[in-house]
Amino acid sequence: MALLIFVRHGQSLYNLENRFTGILDIALTDLGKEQAKLAGQKLIGYVFDIAYTSMLIRAQESLRIILDEMKVTIPIVKNKALNERMYGTLQGINKDETAQKYGLAQVDIWRRSYDICPPGGESLLDTYNRVVPYYKTEIEPKLKMGQNVLLVAHGNSLRSLMMYLENINPLDIVKVNIATGIPRVYTFETDLHLSSVHDL
């Protein structure tokens, strides 16, 4: 048996301000730090061999707080393949202001569709096409060895991974939102057959 547990980073300043964040390197709010702390408390008792995170400070800081709360030290791998979806020219702009400028329907298409890119940015499909190959190359081999893996990343990079792990189709993934700071637990049998999925 092996475990993969992922956590979306805690609230960032741009989450609070309702701005498109994307790959901008925005820090956690006090609430975001508290969310990461609570995630760490939920994970006390779990044993991890390795942790993965993105190159962005909000995910790295969330991971640090989680591990501090668990009082453990494990190897950490950081990679840009796990970064948030890049929102192009929308990054840093308030979502309500964007809706006023382009119309709510257009903004919803940019935010929630599977294969339509925001201006100069990535679609969820683009994000999937970098997250899943990295997962297959770097993380799956650890799980096959029976290692337990902690992954702290972002809403869209984690939604991409959910698509792959849970066989979610493009129509259904657009309805999925991942809450900040809630660990999601995947339990695998020795052949990497997914035996259970649940949130803590």
Side-chain angles (χ1 to χ4, degrees), residues 1-7 43 46-53 63 67 70 74-77 82 134-135 138-152 161 165 183-188 192:
M1 302 288 282
L3 294 177
L4 168 67
I5 300 183
F6 73 53
V7 184
L43 291 172
Y46 285 89
V47 176
F48 296 103
D49 298 284
I50 192 168
Y52 289 84
T53 190
L63 174 58
L67 295 178
M70 296 177 68
I74 56 175
I76 296 171
V77 178
L82 301 172
Y134 182 78
Y135 170 81
E138 299 296 330
I139 299 177
E140 269 191 353
K142 302 291 192 303
L143 298 170
K144 286 179 180 177
M145 292 167 57
Q147 295 188 6
N148 294 337
V149 176
L150 175 61
L151 168 60
V152 179
L161 188 54
L165 294 175
R184 189 165 182 83
V185 182
Y186 294 84
T187 304
F188 297 92
L192 272 194

Side-chain angles (χ1 to χ4, degrees), residues 2-168:
L3 294 177
L4 168 67
I5 300 183
F6 73 53
V7 184
R8 182 184 175 191
H9 64 78
Q11 182 193 63
S12 74
L13 180 61
Y14 273 16
N15 292 147
L16 176 64
E17 295 177 352
N18 197 34
R19 297 178 184 272
F20 287 99
T21 312
I23 61 171
L24 298 179
D25 215 3
I26 306 301
L28 297 176
T29 62
D30 288 342
L31 174 59
K33 293 174 184 177
E34 186 63 26
Q35 290 170 333
K37 184 176 179 180
L38 291 172
Q41 291 171 3
K42 289 181 177 181
L43 291 172
I44 290 172
Y46 285 89
V47 176
F48 296 103
D49 298 284
I50 192 168
Y52 289 84
T53 190
S54 75
M55 300 303 295
L56 302 175
I57 192 68
R58 59 191 183 274
Q60 294 180 16
E61 181 72 355
S62 295
L63 174 58
R64 183 193 65 77
I65 293 169
I66 288 168
L67 295 178
D68 284 353
E69 199 64 24
M70 296 177 68
K71 296 180 172 56
V72 298
T73 302
I74 56 175
I76 296 171
V77 178
K78 304 170 187 175
N79 195 283
K80 65 181 181 180
L82 301 172
N83 281 1
E84 178 57 293
R85 175 183 172 192
M86 206 273 274
Y87 271 96
T89 60
L90 302 184
Q91 292 186 154
I93 299 176
N94 181 277
K95 293 173 184 175
D96 292 335
E97 293 173 6
T98 308
Q100 290 171 11
K101 181 175 181 180
Y102 296 102
L104 183 60
Q106 180 62 67
V107 173
D108 280 345
I109 289 171
W110 286 332
R111 290 187 66 195
R112 306 306 304 174
S113 67
Y114 177 62
D115 56 2
I116 297 175
C117 301
E122 289 181 302
S123 65
L124 186 61
L125 174 59
D126 294 329
T127 310
Y128 181 100
N129 285 337
R130 61 175 163 81
V131 171
V132 172
Y134 182 78
Y135 170 81
K136 290 180 177 179
T137 301
E138 299 296 330
I139 299 177
E140 269 191 353
K142 302 291 192 303
L143 298 170
K144 286 179 180 177
M145 292 167 57
Q147 295 188 6
N148 294 337
V149 176
L150 175 61
L151 168 60
V152 179
H154 307 269
N156 286 298
S157 54
L158 295 177
R159 285 202 306 143
S160 299
L161 188 54
M162 279 182 71
M163 284 189 73
Y164 174 69
L165 294 175
E166 301 180 37
N167 197 27
I168 301 173

